[in-house]
């Protein structure tokens, strides 16, 4: 007969079975939780992969758009360059005269320039200088009447334009009475800005003892002594 104060072997076995059963139930709960977490992680991974795929597609679209944009920029630069060349070509027979006093030309600007330019440049022309047009630029300066407006003139013969500009580069500025006269070529705004940028380098080039110059209209050459 078993002692009522002490568990029998059967009781201990039942207790152990109960403990093991509880452990198994706890493990089942953990496995179920782990399974749920695994499903959640798989769902997150799938969502992340989907977002990565979407980003890759958008990046591909952006790269394609960037390529199109670069091509457009190159086309725009090319067209801008061609338009600048065409504008400079249309101005190649123009000259600017700076420093001729107001009203010096009287009532006939073309006749005045035809007689003045040979004396001013000391050039002997085979034919009389003729113009397509000639006039002063802009309204009169009421703020500074002593500063004359420049004159722009379009010559009829290109070889005479080249002769005058060459004389201006080699021997200018010229002088009428006590007035100094400069003669310059006529360029587009873009070309003038490029020429100014090149000319700003002259002090540094002189410091480096380098020879330099500008090819018409705006190409700089530099050589080391």
């Amino acid at each position: 007969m078993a002692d009522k104060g002490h568990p029998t072997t059967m009781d201990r076995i039942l207790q152990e079975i109960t403990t093991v059963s509880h452990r198994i139930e706890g493990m089942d709960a953990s496995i179920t939780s782990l399974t749920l977490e695994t499903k959640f992680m798989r769902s997150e991974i799938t969502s992340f992969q989907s977002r990565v795929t979407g980003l890759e597609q958008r990046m591909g679209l952006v790269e394609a758009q960037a390529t199109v944009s670069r091509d457009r920029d190159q086309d725009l630069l090319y067209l801008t360059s061609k338009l600048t060349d065409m504008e400079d070509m249309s101005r190649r027979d123009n000259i600017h005269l700076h420093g001729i006093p107001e009203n010096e030309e009287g009532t006939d600007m073309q006749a005045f320039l035809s007689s003045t330019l040979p004396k001013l440049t000391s050039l002997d022309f085979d034919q009389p200088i003729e113009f397509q047009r000639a006039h002063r630029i802009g309204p009169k300066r009421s703020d500074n009447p002593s500063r004359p407006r420049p004159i722009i003139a379009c010559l009829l013969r290109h070889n005479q334009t080249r002769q005058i500009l060459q004389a201006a580069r080699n021997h200018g500025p010229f002088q009428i009475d006590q007035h100094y006269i400069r003669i310059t070529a006529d360029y587009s705004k873009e070309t003038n800005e490029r020429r100014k940028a090149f000319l700003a380098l002259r002090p540094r080039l002189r410091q480096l003892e380098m020879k330099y110059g500008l090819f018409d209209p705006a190409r700089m050459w530099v050589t080391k002594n």
Side-chain angles (χ1 to χ4, degrees), residues 45-57:
I45 290 172
T46 301
S47 176
F48 178 74
Q49 289 174 337
S50 177
R51 290 197 295 271
V52 169
T53 301
L55 286 172
E56 289 176 344
Q57 292 174 347

Side-chain angles (χ1 to χ4, degrees), residues 170-214:
N170 294 338
H171 307 294
F174 306 107
Q175 189 171 357
I176 294 180
D177 297 328
Q178 295 181 348
H179 303 287
Y180 286 95
I181 312 300
R182 290 188 304 110
I183 301 177
T184 61
D186 183 32
Y187 298 112
S188 64
K189 178 182 177 181
E190 291 77 10
T191 299
N192 273 325
E193 289 175 351
R194 288 168 57 196
R195 290 175 66 87
K196 289 178 182 178
F198 289 144
L199 295 177
L201 298 174
R202 290 183 299 178
R204 180 57 177 162
L205 292 173
R206 283 195 290 266
Q207 288 178 357
L208 296 174
E209 297 182 350
M210 301 181 76
K211 293 182 178 180
Y212 60 89
L214 274 178

Side-chain angles (χ1 to χ4, degrees), residues 51-81:
R51 290 197 295 271
V52 169
T53 301
L55 286 172
E56 289 176 344
Q57 292 174 347
R58 287 197 290 271
M59 286 179 64
L61 180 60
V62 169
E63 289 175 353
Q65 290 174 340
T67 300
V68 171
S69 179
R70 283 195 297 270
D71 291 342
R72 287 177 178 173
D73 288 344
Q74 291 176 354
D75 290 342
L76 181 60
L77 287 173
Y78 174 77
L79 290 174
T80 301
S81 175

